[in-house]
Amino acid sequence: MKKFFQDFGLGVSTTFQGFGFAFNNKMGHFFLYPLIMTIAIAIAAYHGMDAAVEWANAKILGWLDLTPIPGDSIWDMVISFLKSIAEYVIRFLIWIICVYTLHKTIKYIVLILMSPVMALISEQTEKVLTGNTYAFNFGQFAKDVWRGILLACRNFVVEMSLILLIWLANLALSSIFPPLTIILTPAAWLLSLAVGSYFWGFATMDYTNERRRLKLRDSVRFIRANKGLAIGNGLMFTLLLSIPLIGTYVGPIFAIVMCTVGATLAIHKRVDLQKRDYILVKESDKKSGAISE
């Protein structure tokens, strides 16, 4: 537990250091890319949701037969008024569903679209820290980006499944013991926050692991062993996303650079400066030694 909180503190502190680090090392231009991407997503989301609302609204109105009734009687006018109100309520509910869906998926949309930029940010950060340079190879770069995309898809499924289980468990236990709702609901919210933070930190840390040629399963083992780093790194993005109305769009602008730089700083401090190798590599060495003996 002590290691977890130490790692968590390191993950949080290095993420906040990411902002100054980027501007102090001529990496401030990387903030422009998520800004442009966020504007593009906002425009596309508006038009996409508007089209979805119109389509769904027309379908639902057709099913419910809520077309206005012609007629001059008071009763006809009342029915027409109520149907018009129902149409606006349906439209509003569809908008809410679309906005909620965007809020829940924006993290992974960002991870997929910005994967090339995040790979470059992580590589540039390591270059500043260690002087390590990596010759550009388009094939390897494309492979790195593809890995980031696959990881985002994998993590999306796992994260949504875990969060669904958390809230289903909360619902079931609260139904059996209603007074526990006061404790269980905040606990479920905190667990969901931690899960969301972990998977964002997971993604940003994997860029460094991949560049050091760790296979995906080995990267998973390393990050699980240092989950405090991942949660601390992803916490800022998760909290930014929680800001009402603007969080969905503000979060990616800052988090992409700060969290990616922060993850690289954290691994550097945890592994390089403390002369600690990756845990999984040590375990592999032990196994190899045991076999040879």
Side-chain angles (χ1 to χ4, degrees), residues 11-284:
V12 172
S13 63
T14 51
T15 299
F16 280 100
Q17 290 169 21
F19 187 84
F21 184 95
F23 281 100
N24 291 335
N25 292 281
K26 300 180 180 179
M27 296 171 60
H29 62 92
F30 281 116
F31 284 97
L32 292 175
Y33 307 123
L35 174 62
I36 294 170
M37 180 212 62
T38 300
I39 293 172
I41 288 178
I43 294 172
Y46 174 79
H47 290 289
M49 288 190 293
D50 191 52
V53 168
E54 290 297 331
W55 178 84
N57 196 49
K59 289 291 185 182
I60 294 174
L61 289 177
W63 293 336
L64 299 178
D65 190 25
L66 293 180
T67 53
I69 297 176
D72 297 327
S73 69
I74 295 178
W75 178 246
D76 288 339
M77 293 175 65
V78 169
I79 295 298
S80 295
F81 174 74
L82 292 176
K83 288 188 174 184
S84 297
I85 293 295
E87 178 179 352
Y88 283 111
V89 170
I90 292 170
R91 185 183 295 272
F92 175 74
L93 291 176
I94 297 171
W95 263 104
I96 292 297
I97 292 171
C98 290
V99 170
Y100 179 79
T101 301
L102 176 64
H103 177 76
K104 283 299 182 183
T105 58
I106 186 69
K107 175 166 63 178
Y108 290 99
I109 294 173
V110 167
L111 285 173
I112 291 172
L113 295 180
M114 297 301 293
S115 184
V117 175
M118 295 172 76
L120 290 173
I121 293 171
S122 182
E123 182 177 328
Q124 183 64 30
T125 302
E126 183 173 337
K127 180 180 178 181
V128 173
L129 291 171
T130 66
N132 294 339
T133 57
Y134 298 85
F136 181 79
N137 181 290
F138 181 79
Q140 184 61 47
F141 181 72
K143 183 180 177 181
D144 295 348
V145 172
W146 180 242
R147 169 167 159 160
I149 293 172
L150 289 178
L151 185 65
C153 295
R154 174 239 185 221
N155 284 354
F156 174 77
V157 173
V158 177
E159 179 182 346
M160 292 299 105
S161 299
L162 287 174
I163 290 177
L164 179 62
L165 286 174
I166 289 170
W167 286 101
L168 285 176
N170 175 58
L171 179 62
L173 292 173
S174 296
S175 300
I176 297 171
F177 305 105
L180 288 178
T181 303
I182 300 174
I183 299 174
L184 292 175
T185 299
W189 183 82
L190 287 175
L191 277 175
S192 299
L193 183 73
V195 169
S197 300
Y198 172 78
F199 281 104
W200 176 263
F202 191 128
T204 56
M205 289 173 69
D206 185 66
Y207 287 104
T208 300
N209 291 343
E210 199 287 330
R211 192 168 52 256
R212 299 185 180 194
R213 297 296 173 259
L214 269 68
K215 295 180 180 179
L216 184 56
R217 65 175 180 271
D218 294 332
S219 180
V220 171
R221 289 171 59 195
F222 172 75
I223 296 170
R224 283 177 180 170
N226 296 275
K227 60 180 68 71
L229 283 179
I231 295 174
N233 178 266
L235 181 63
M236 187 195 72
F237 183 42
T238 306
L239 292 177
L240 284 174
L241 281 182
S242 301
I243 299 175
L245 301 177
I246 63 171
T248 301
Y249 301 104
V250 171
I253 296 174
F254 293 98
I256 286 175
V257 179
M258 293 177 65
C259 292
T260 306
V261 171
T264 312
L265 287 171
I267 292 177
H268 175 67
K269 290 182 178 181
R270 172 63 72 241
V271 176
D272 300 331
L273 296 185
Q274 295 184 11
K275 305 300 180 184
R276 289 174 54 187
D277 203 347
Y278 286 108
I279 293 173
L280 55 98
V281 175
K282 287 185 175 181
E283 291 177 351
S284 298

